Amino acid sequence: MSEHIVSSFDTDLDTLRSKIAEMGGIAEKMLGDATLALVRRDAALAQTIIAADARLDALQRDIEERAILTIARRQPMAVDLREVVSAIRVAGDLERIGDLAKNTAKRVVAISGELQPPKIVGGVQHMSDLVQAQLKDVLDAYAQRDDQRAMDVWQRDERIDALYTSIFRELLTYMMEDPRNITFCTHLLFLAKNIERIGDHTTNVAETIHYLVTGVALSVERPKGDKSSFTTTEAVDK
Amino acid sequence: MSEHIVSSFDTDLDTLRSKIAEMGGIAEKMLGDATLALVRRDAALAQTIIAADARLDALQRDIEERAILTIARRQPMAVDLREVVSAIRVAGDLERIGDLAKNTAKRVVAISGELQPPKIVGGVQHMSDLVQAQLKDVLDAYAQRDDQRAMDVWQRDERIDALYTSIFRELLTYMMEDPRNITFCTHLLFLAKNIERIGDHTTNVAETIHYLVTGVALSVERPKGDKSSFTTTEAVDK
């Protein structure tokens, strides 16, 4: 490549990186605010989260379009190509995290008038704190191209899955104890599932970082703390 | 482009199309079998669905890699570029449909020993029949580049959302009537949600077809039959 072309490519990459950083900031804030809105039963805050999602969607489309044009125009190879492909993937995961935070906020609105067994929200809040830490770490790992840090995030998701399983069980117990808890706990089940799925997207980003830095796709199955899909008294999914 | 290059591009596209057709066939079968496994309480059939998902994942990775290489090597423009980008998107949605069908199958295994209010499975089966028809139609629309047919699928998803909302309500009622139904109905809630989300992915594919055929992204919001995220007695999501 001529120097002119190389420098155009670098400019393209810088733009992609700064847009992904913006997406990361928005996604982190949406998840943090969704948890706050749940704990405080704050429907107004929940509405601001729902409104914020449009920006994330627009950024993702923009990143995808720019990345495709960059591939077509600059024909990057090896690590340069991985940079651009990784940008598309990370933007896709951040967009899905935004959708899940938005849905979490909608459920906060839905349950704002319901009876609430107070203890149970604590477990969901704790799980959300862990997922927020995962999201922050994986965004830092992406900014620094830090494979080790990304692999730490990838490993730690197991704890979140295990916590989700215990929340699932606890919520079933509350429902069985008192039918008046059923509507609230059902929303909370889906809400907890959303947060657990946000955790899964942070591990997707970690896998993308590994591929970006090393050039090798992760082929091993991630350890799963949530074995519950196959058991009746435990939680489910994966 | 020279004729040689043009014909290489066409070969690339043919390969992408045939791999997407294979993915579509697998995804359709997984969804159909998952529903059959639910209705028949057939845990062995459910296990075959879980095993089938790996092939779908491998095909998606293969399609994505080939598409990116095609963009870098052939530098396609306009409709040619849209063809390749659309292949990446459709493969992504089909991979997610496979994940959701796999999760549905895992829940069938989980509830295979539980009490079952028989009527309730009928509603989920009906919703799954509608989603299977949507998936078949959208795959045909993709194969034929048929925007009108894709837009029909896109419009019809509203009915599925509405059906999901009514199933959600019905399941809550069963749970309130008898606590022994809670575990079964909770799994069925997530199972129904999976199928509703498969419906959402068929509308994503429809949007991709519209973009592919017309060159214009759909900017209007899809009509939503599931208003339930904001109400307590109804179902949730979006």
Side-chain angles (χ1 to χ4, degrees):
Chain A
M1 289 193 195
S2 77
E3 257 187 56
H4 174 70
I5 291 174
V6 170
S7 116
S8 301
F9 178 72
D10 288 343
T11 308
D12 286 1
L13 271 196
D14 284 346
T15 306
L16 289 175
R17 280 177 190 165
S18 93
K19 281 178 188 288
I20 284 177
E22 185 184 348
M23 283 191 84
I26 294 170
E28 278 192 277
K29 185 163 165 43
M30 285 175 77
L31 175 57
D33 284 354
T35 314
L36 208 59
L38 171 68
V39 174
R40 294 194 191 153
R41 319 286 304 257
D42 186 341
L45 179 59
Q47 295 289 0
T48 68
I49 299 158
I50 296 164
D53 189 52
R55 174 74 187 145
L56 218 47
D57 291 351
L59 277 165
Q60 191 231 340
R61 281 192 298 273
D62 187 30
I63 288 167
E64 193 178 88
E65 277 168 27
R66 281 170 188 272
I68 297 285
L69 281 178
T70 298
I71 295 170
R73 282 193 196 134
R74 321 281 183 214
Q75 302 180 66
M77 303 283 284
V79 67
D80 290 339
L81 180 57
R82 294 205 302 276
E83 279 282 354
V84 185
V85 171
S86 298
I88 297 175
R89 288 189 187 158
V90 173
D93 281 305
L94 292 174
E95 191 270 332
R96 291 291 303 130
I97 288 173
D99 282 349
L100 291 162
K102 179 170 90 165
N103 185 264
T104 301
K106 285 189 180 182
R107 288 181 190 274
V108 170
V109 176
I111 59 181
S112 58
E114 287 287 311
L115 260 176
Q116 171 183 335
K119 247 178 55 192
I120 196 66
V121 170
V124 177
Q125 185 182 12
H126 177 53
M127 184 170 75
S128 178
D129 289 344
L130 292 181
V131 173
Q132 284 175 63
Q134 293 277 80
L135 180 56
K136 186 186 177 309
D137 281 356
V138 89
L139 289 168
D140 287 349
Y142 180 71
Q144 294 153 21
R145 291 356 188 205
D146 185 340
D147 182 40
Q148 188 52 57
R149 195 160 179 185
M151 289 302 90
D152 282 351
V153 168
W154 191 75
Q155 289 287 348
R156 284 206 312 263
D157 189 60
E158 196 176 1
R159 283 191 319 173
I160 291 164
D161 290 348
L163 191 54
Y164 171 71
T165 301
S166 84
I167 289 171
F168 186 95
R169 272 191 220 163
E170 204 179 342
L171 284 169
L172 285 190
T173 309
Y174 279 116
M175 289 197 258
M176 288 175 193
E177 277 173 10
D178 186 345
R180 285 173 301 174
N181 292 333
I182 287 176
T183 301
F184 180 83
C185 286
T186 300
H187 280 289
L188 214 54
L189 269 178
F190 278 95
L191 196 154
K193 184 73 204 158
N194 284 342
I195 293 171
E196 187 269 338
R197 283 170 60 206
I198 291 176
D200 287 343
H201 284 285
T202 69
T203 68
N204 289 351
V205 175
E207 289 177 14
T208 299
I209 295 167
H210 184 76
Y211 156 80
L212 168 59
V213 174
T214 67
V216 181
L218 267 178
S219 56
V220 287
E221 277 276 298
R222 193 162 50 79
K224 295 280 165 73
D226 173 12
K227 319 277 190 228
S228 51
S229 311
F230 290 115
T231 55
T232 313
T233 49
E234 294 178 43
V236 178
D237 254 298
K238 291 289 110 71
Chain B
M1 289 194 196
S2 76
E3 256 187 57
H4 174 70
I5 290 175
V6 170
S7 113
S8 302
F9 179 72
D10 286 344
T11 307
D12 286 359
L13 271 196
D14 284 347
T15 306
L16 289 175
R17 280 179 191 162
S18 92
K19 282 179 188 285
I20 284 177
E22 185 183 348
M23 283 190 83
I26 295 171
E28 277 191 278
K29 184 162 165 46
M30 286 175 77
L31 174 58
D33 283 354
T35 313
L36 208 60
L38 171 67
V39 173
R40 294 193 191 154
R41 319 286 304 256
D42 185 341
L45 179 59
Q47 295 289 1
T48 69
I49 299 160
I50 295 164
D53 190 51
R55 173 74 187 144
L56 217 47
D57 290 350
L59 278 166
Q60 191 231 340
R61 280 192 299 273
D62 186 31
I63 288 167
E64 192 178 87
E65 276 168 28
R66 281 170 188 273
I68 297 284
L69 281 178
T70 298
I71 294 171
R73 281 192 198 135
R74 322 281 184 216
Q75 303 179 67
M77 303 283 284
V79 67
D80 290 340
L81 181 56
R82 294 206 302 275
E83 278 282 355
V84 185
V85 172
S86 298
I88 297 175
R89 289 188 185 157
V90 172
D93 281 306
L94 291 174
E95 191 270 331
R96 291 293 301 131
I97 288 173
D99 282 347
L100 291 162
K102 179 170 89 165
N103 185 263
T104 300
K106 286 189 179 182
R107 289 181 190 277
V108 169
V109 177
I111 59 182
S112 58
E114 287 288 310
L115 261 176
Q116 171 182 332
K119 246 180 55 192
I120 196 65
V121 170
V124 177
Q125 184 181 12
H126 177 53
M127 184 171 76
S128 178
D129 289 344
L130 292 182
V131 173
Q132 284 175 64
Q134 292 277 79
L135 180 55
K136 185 186 178 307
D137 281 356
V138 89
L139 289 168
D140 288 349
Y142 181 71
Q144 294 152 20
R145 291 355 188 207
D146 184 341
D147 182 40
Q148 186 54 54
R149 194 160 179 184
M151 289 302 91
D152 283 351
V153 169
W154 192 75
Q155 290 287 349
R156 282 205 313 262
D157 189 59
E158 195 177 2
R159 282 192 318 174
I160 291 164
D161 289 347
L163 191 54
Y164 171 71
T165 301
S166 84
I167 289 170
F168 186 95
R169 271 190 221 163
E170 204 179 341
L171 285 168
L172 285 190
T173 309
Y174 279 116
M175 290 197 257
M176 289 176 193
E177 277 173 11
D178 186 345
R180 285 173 301 174
N181 292 334
I182 286 176
T183 301
F184 180 83
C185 286
T186 300
H187 280 289
L188 213 54
L189 269 178
F190 277 96
L191 195 154
K193 184 72 202 155
N194 284 342
I195 294 171
E196 188 268 339
R197 283 171 60 205
I198 291 176
D200 287 343
H201 284 286
T202 69
T203 68
N204 289 352
V205 175
E207 289 177 13
T208 299
I209 295 167
H210 183 77
Y211 157 80
L212 168 59
V213 174
T214 67
V216 181
L218 267 178
S219 56
V220 285
E221 277 276 299
R222 193 161 51 78
K224 295 280 166 74
D226 174 11
K227 319 278 190 225
S228 51
S229 310
F230 290 114
T231 56
T232 311
T233 49
E234 294 178 43
V236 178
D237 255 298
K238 291 290 110 68

